[in-house]
Amino acid sequence: MSIDLLSMALNAALRAATQSISGKDFSRKRVLTPDTVMRLLISAEGGSLDKILHIAGIQATASALTQRRAQIPPELFRTVFTKFNSRCDDTDFFRGYRLFAVDGTAINLPRNPDAPSFVCNDSIPKGVNQLHATPLYDILSRTFADVVIQPEPKKDEIGALVTMLQRNDFEEKTLIIADRGFESYNLIAHILEKPNADFLIRIKQNRSAMREVAKLPMCELDCNIGFTITTTQTNADKANHYIHLQVPKKSKAGSKTRRGRWDFPSPYPMRFRICRFQLDNGEFETVATSLPASFTLEDIKELYHLRWGLETAFRDLKYTLGLVNLHGKSDAFAEQEIYASLTAFNFASRVCREVVVHQPSEGIYAYRINFKMAVTLCKEYLRTQNADSNKLMEDIARYTVPIRPGRQDQRDLRVKGFPGFVYRVAA
């Protein structure tokens, strides 16, 4: 899809979103129209609002921009994100499957004890504000397909994935790849019942693992397990060795109660594969999957390894797209910027697919596009009227980085707080 067509798709998504705005807020002709405000946030980089307005060549104050964006609900930014996706083709496959990775990440906000995002517990007695984003990420196309945003105190990653499964129709065969934390009988049942959907989920392998998994020997294996879930404890259930799932009496189908949630009839038979493989460091990883036997243990290992693409996308989303430097203090403003950053990420990623990288005839490494520079150039392109798409492709092709396969580094797991507006380094 050419850059001109991508720009047309984004413009059409913006028009569709802004046409739904009615009322007196935007009835008068102003410099900061809804389209202008939304495009400005999608193309915004680091720094103050005054700097962003100056770079965009808009004669307005930061206060005026804040007042105007307060009149735009975050749902309209989601509309732009979803409609832009619907107008683009992301059709990269792995042996006939689209690969979707799912995981959650926290977005830090300025401290505000009165906001729904405020978290306070024994580990953080002073409290912090966070929103939790759970996206569905297309690994091979390197784009975000969907997302659910929740206040951190009401975080429910499994429920978020169930929501995305219910509101998306998978026209092609689709594989959902998830890490630990998504191990749930209810979630597995939802994917098994979803047409064209399969799953590959890393699960526990110690004493707290699923009963049938805990019985398996600790070695490389590939086998099928079957059992029946029940929410009752009749004598027949016990005689048949059904797995009892304790569902709270007040819990209803689709309830947000995370523990013991069950949305299906009882008893419910369940059958899938358990694959266990050994890593280079000697440790084992165990995954549950509904993929057919034509996918070998090596295929399963490779597919789970591909999930790491979502972690690098989170890094780009926060540091390359700038979600660590929000331009507003409220939960609604943060939600706007999450959708805006996802839209900008998808635009830049789709543009990069159109750029041809010329590999050196002699050299040790192959080269790929420098995504950080590509994002900067794409945002500049979106801010510029009548920008030249050919020049954008030429500029992006100039910035490349070597591909160094097999590099490993110890993960930095330090908790990162919200950088205050006063102490930021201008980007």
Side-chain angles (χ1 to χ4, degrees), residues 213-391:
V213 175
K215 298 176 183 178
L216 299 173
M218 189 56 67
C219 61
E220 285 200 348
L221 53 84
D222 183 356
C223 63
N224 294 320
I225 63 171
F227 49 87
T228 300
I229 300 293
T230 179
T231 57
T232 60
Q233 284 185 302
T234 64
N235 291 332
D237 294 337
K238 295 176 182 178
N240 290 320
H241 302 288
Y242 290 167
I243 295 178
H244 175 243
L245 189 63
Q246 186 175 0
V247 179
K249 293 182 179 180
K250 294 183 180 180
S251 178
K252 300 179 181 178
S255 168
K256 292 185 178 179
T257 304
R258 280 174 280 179
R259 184 174 179 273
R261 179 172 48 200
W262 185 250
D263 299 331
F264 299 92
S266 174
Y268 184 92
M270 191 174 288
R271 186 175 180 84
F272 49 82
R273 288 171 67 188
I274 297 296
C275 298
R276 180 174 289 156
F277 46 83
Q278 192 170 21
L279 304 177
D280 295 337
N281 59 8
E283 296 181 358
F284 289 95
E285 281 188 357
T286 305
V287 299
T289 182
S290 59
L291 286 172
S294 58
F295 286 83
T296 66
L297 195 61
E298 285 300 316
D299 293 332
I300 299 296
K301 186 176 180 180
E302 180 184 355
L303 283 167
Y304 181 73
H305 178 70
L306 289 174
R307 191 204 66 84
W308 189 255
L310 176 56
E311 303 294 341
T312 59
F314 281 154
R315 180 194 61 199
D316 286 331
L317 198 62
K318 290 185 176 182
Y319 298 99
T320 302
L321 276 297
L323 270 184
V324 293
N325 294 319
L326 300 176
H327 301 97
K329 296 184 178 181
S330 70
D331 290 4
F333 282 5
E335 196 170 338
Q336 287 179 351
E337 295 196 42
I338 292 173
Y339 286 124
S341 295
L342 291 171
T343 303
F345 182 101
N346 285 357
F347 182 86
S349 186
R350 288 168 179 142
V351 167
C352 289
R353 292 209 299 265
E354 303 300 318
V355 178
V356 177
V357 178
H358 297 285
Q359 301 296 338
S361 57
E362 296 181 1
I364 301 175
Y365 301 112
Y367 283 76
R368 61 177 174 83
I369 292 169
N370 184 333
F371 188 67
K372 184 172 184 178
M373 279 303 302
V375 168
T376 299
L377 294 169
C378 286
K379 287 190 172 185
E380 181 181 357
Y381 173 84
L382 292 175
R383 292 193 301 265
T384 306
Q385 289 187 352
N386 302 320
D388 188 343
S389 59
N390 291 327
K391 184 177 184 303

Side-chain angles (χ1 to χ4, degrees), residues 10-241:
L10 181 57
N11 292 335
L14 285 165
R15 285 195 301 272
T18 55
Q19 284 174 357
S20 63
I21 296 178
S22 60
K24 63 181 181 180
D25 290 337
F26 290 94
S27 58
R28 294 169 55 191
K29 186 175 181 180
R30 299 174 184 267
V31 174
L32 294 174
T33 64
D35 181 285
T36 302
V37 172
M38 298 176 80
R39 183 181 295 274
L40 190 65
L41 291 176
I42 291 171
S43 62
E45 299 188 57
S48 66
L49 290 178
D50 283 323
K51 176 184 175 181
I52 292 170
L53 288 164
H54 174 73
I55 292 175
I58 299 175
Q59 299 297 320
T61 64
S63 176
L65 177 58
T66 300
Q67 293 177 51
R68 299 305 279 170
R69 65 182 294 197
Q71 298 167 344
I72 303 175
E75 290 75 18
L76 290 187
F77 284 83
R78 172 173 175 78
T79 299
V80 174
F81 168 70
T82 55
K83 287 190 177 296
F84 179 51
N85 280 345
S86 67
R87 288 175 165 84
C88 300
D89 294 326
D90 299 317
T91 54
D92 292 326
F93 295 91
F94 181 98
R95 291 175 56 178
Y97 279 82
R98 288 191 70 183
L99 304 184
F100 284 132
V102 62
D103 206 346
T105 187
I107 309 298
N108 294 311
L109 280 70
R111 189 175 184 276
N112 179 8
D114 297 327
S117 60
F118 185 70
V119 185
C120 186
N121 50 44
D122 294 338
S123 61
I124 40 175
K126 292 185 178 180
V128 297
N129 287 74
Q130 290 181 329
L131 290 180
H132 196 87
T134 307
L136 202 58
Y137 178 73
D138 190 324
I139 299 173
L140 301 181
S141 297
R142 205 167 186 264
T143 53
F144 289 95
D146 199 357
V147 66
V148 172
I149 303 172
Q150 302 163 317
E152 185 67 23
K154 297 182 178 180
K155 176 183 71 175
D156 180 8
E157 292 181 342
I158 294 175
L161 179 52
V162 169
T163 297
M164 290 187 285
L165 287 170
Q166 291 173 339
R167 70 188 181 195
N168 286 279
D169 294 324
F170 301 131
E171 297 179 358
E172 305 95 358
K173 290 193 294 184
T174 301
L175 178 64
I176 308 294
I177 306 175
D179 203 0
R180 288 175 299 186
F182 288 87
E183 180 181 355
S184 161
Y185 292 123
N186 190 54
L187 173 60
I188 290 175
H190 271 282
I191 300 177
L192 289 173
E193 296 290 336
K194 185 74 175 179
N196 289 331
D198 283 285
F199 66 88
L200 194 158
I201 302 175
R202 185 182 175 190
I203 60 175
K204 297 176 183 176
Q205 54 190 15
N206 52 21
R207 293 180 180 179
S208 60
M210 296 178 181
R211 183 193 306 174
E212 301 300 321
V213 175
K215 298 176 183 178
L216 299 173
M218 189 56 67
C219 61
E220 285 200 348
L221 53 84
D222 183 356
C223 63
N224 294 320
I225 63 171
F227 49 87
T228 300
I229 300 293
T230 179
T231 57
T232 60
Q233 284 185 302
T234 64
N235 291 332
D237 294 337
K238 295 176 182 178
N240 290 320
H241 302 288

